[in-house]
Amino acid sequence: MGQIKTIPITRVKSISKEDFINQYYKTQRPVLIENLTSDWPARNKWNIDYIQKKAGDQIVPLYNNEPTKGKQNSAAPVTEMKLYDYLEILKTKPTDLRIFFYNILDKMPELIQDISYPDIGLKFFKRLPVMFFGGEGSVVLPHYDMDLSDLIHFHFHGHKSVLLFPPEQTKYLYKVPFSVHNLESINMDDPDFDRFPALKKAEGLYVEMKHGDALYMPSGYWHYIKYLDGGFSITLRALPKHPVLLSKMFGNLFFMRPFENTMRKIWGQKWVDFKESRMLVKTNTRFGKG
């Protein structure tokens, strides 16, 4: 067992539009901005109690940390629950249950009044302000976003840790073919370097987020997220403009994902085992020495 090498993500209190574009967007470097939400009503209003009052009666899909198996769709929830009851769990005990990609325009449009799109040089896709909820101890499998957007991730109520990897380190991360995530059997907090030696070559960027923090995650960056206590976040996204990234985005959405789901339906666990075993051998053969 071991520990993945990390360096800290740069923290700033605030930043100008010009500096953000030149120092971080153009160079595709992550940065955490502490006061980007200072003028948001959400900074003072948003906590679990507030969300319970707004939409406690909604039924929400929940996800957990268990690997998907066989013919199970990789994006399928494990259960459903009233939002009020789920948030009550977050306040009282650890849980690995999470809410994933909760579109507030569809579910709680009044929350839009509590935020504003920051003027830092990104052209945000305003149809998809999405929220994520997690309980103490829950983790988000290392992955990159299929649409290859530039992301600003804002956290509220509690603390979470984020470990990022730039796209060029994908070759070390045991990416599962026809997916945007790595092997679900890898424990990123205590990786087995004997089984997964390529991870020794990876170097992540690490930060812990608190209430009101905003993290810029550039296009294609892998993120591994762990909730240190119960809380929630909102992500604003700017879709890619470069033709190469646009081509990859459409390939991910309209070929890779449908192909993967079709193969799972036809072959089930045989397909999962086949592609993962081939990737594991190939990666360990290439990076397993030295």
Side-chain angles (χ1 to χ4, degrees):
M1 302 295 180
Q3 189 171 10
I4 291 173
K5 291 178 290 188
T6 64
I7 58 175
I9 292 174
T10 301
R11 273 183 178 269
V12 297
K13 292 290 184 182
S14 58
I15 193 167
S16 68
K17 179 178 179 179
E18 181 181 10
D19 285 346
F20 174 78
I21 292 173
N22 291 329
Q23 297 177 28
Y24 299 102
Y25 177 63
K26 287 184 177 179
T27 61
Q28 291 288 276
R29 292 173 52 216
V31 62
L32 185 138
I33 308 167
E34 294 184 353
N35 292 328
L36 196 61
T37 62
S38 60
D39 61 345
W40 284 18
R43 183 146 184 159
N44 295 323
K45 294 164 63 175
W46 281 16
N47 56 40
I48 289 177
D49 291 332
Y50 181 74
I51 303 298
Q52 278 182 313
K53 292 176 183 177
K54 287 290 183 181
D57 289 335
Q58 292 187 18
I59 303 297
V60 294
L62 299 173
Y63 302 80
N64 65 10
N65 298 342
E66 291 297 319
T68 55
K69 296 181 180 179
K71 297 184 179 182
Q72 182 181 0
N73 189 309
S74 59
V78 295
T79 188
E80 293 183 340
M81 187 183 300
K82 283 182 63 174
L83 180 57
Y84 184 95
D85 296 334
Y86 169 69
L87 294 177
E88 200 63 26
I89 293 174
L90 296 198
K91 293 193 295 185
T92 57
K93 61 184 178 182
T95 178
D96 68 348
L97 292 174
R98 296 178 289 107
I99 298 177
F100 172 77
F101 223 77
Y102 180 94
N103 189 332
I104 64 174
L105 285 181
D106 295 337
K107 304 295 186 180
M108 285 190 285
E110 65 271 24
L111 291 185
I112 291 294
Q113 300 172 17
D114 294 338
I115 72 170
S116 58
Y117 289 86
D119 182 20
I120 56 173
L122 295 178
K123 188 175 181 180
F124 292 105
F125 181 51
K126 296 184 179 181
R127 180 64 189 88
L128 275 181
V130 291
M131 297 181 77
F132 303 84
F133 297 76
E136 179 184 345
S138 63
V139 299
V140 181
L141 182 70
H143 69 286
Y144 60 92
D145 278 29
M146 193 171 293
D147 63 8
L148 299 175
S149 293
D150 285 277
L151 309 174
I152 306 286
H153 189 68
F154 304 84
H155 187 61
F156 296 92
H157 196 112
H159 303 79
K160 71 195 309 182
S161 66
V162 182
L163 180 61
L164 302 180
F165 297 93
E168 58 266 25
Q169 294 208 16
T170 297
K171 57 184 177 288
Y172 305 136
L173 299 177
Y174 295 89
K175 175 186 175 295
V176 175
F178 304 105
S179 77
V180 292
H181 62 81
N182 73 348
L183 281 172
E184 296 180 71
S185 56
I186 294 176
N187 179 354
M188 294 297 287
D189 297 314
D190 188 19
D192 186 339
F193 287 148
D194 291 330
R195 289 185 63 197
F196 310 111
L199 288 173
K200 291 181 181 180
K201 298 180 179 292
E203 184 174 83
L205 298 103
Y206 180 84
V207 73
E208 291 188 7
M209 300 185 70
K210 64 183 186 303
H211 180 89
D213 283 348
L215 176 63
Y216 169 57
M217 296 190 281
S219 172
Y221 263 65
W222 288 73
H223 33 287
Y224 168 63
I225 294 172
K226 183 163 61 174
Y227 289 84
L228 305 179
D229 39 40
F232 59 95
S233 307
I234 182 172
T235 295
L236 305 181
R237 58 208 316 109
L239 296 177
K241 297 179 181 179
H242 194 282
V244 173
L245 290 179
L246 280 171
S247 176
K248 290 181 179 179
M249 179 188 75
F250 287 121
N252 290 341
L253 295 174
F254 300 113
F255 169 72
M256 184 180 70
R257 183 165 60 179
F259 177 78
E260 168 67 9
N261 290 335
T262 298
M263 294 300 287
R264 277 180 175 260
K265 288 179 182 178
I266 296 172
W267 296 104
Q269 193 62 36
K270 288 183 179 179
W271 165 248
V272 176
D273 294 341
F274 168 75
K275 63 174 185 165
E276 290 187 356
S277 62
R278 286 197 63 184
M279 178 275 296
L280 187 61
V281 170
K282 182 178 178 180
T283 304
N284 284 349
T285 300
R286 187 177 181 189
F287 298 108
K289 295 180 180 181

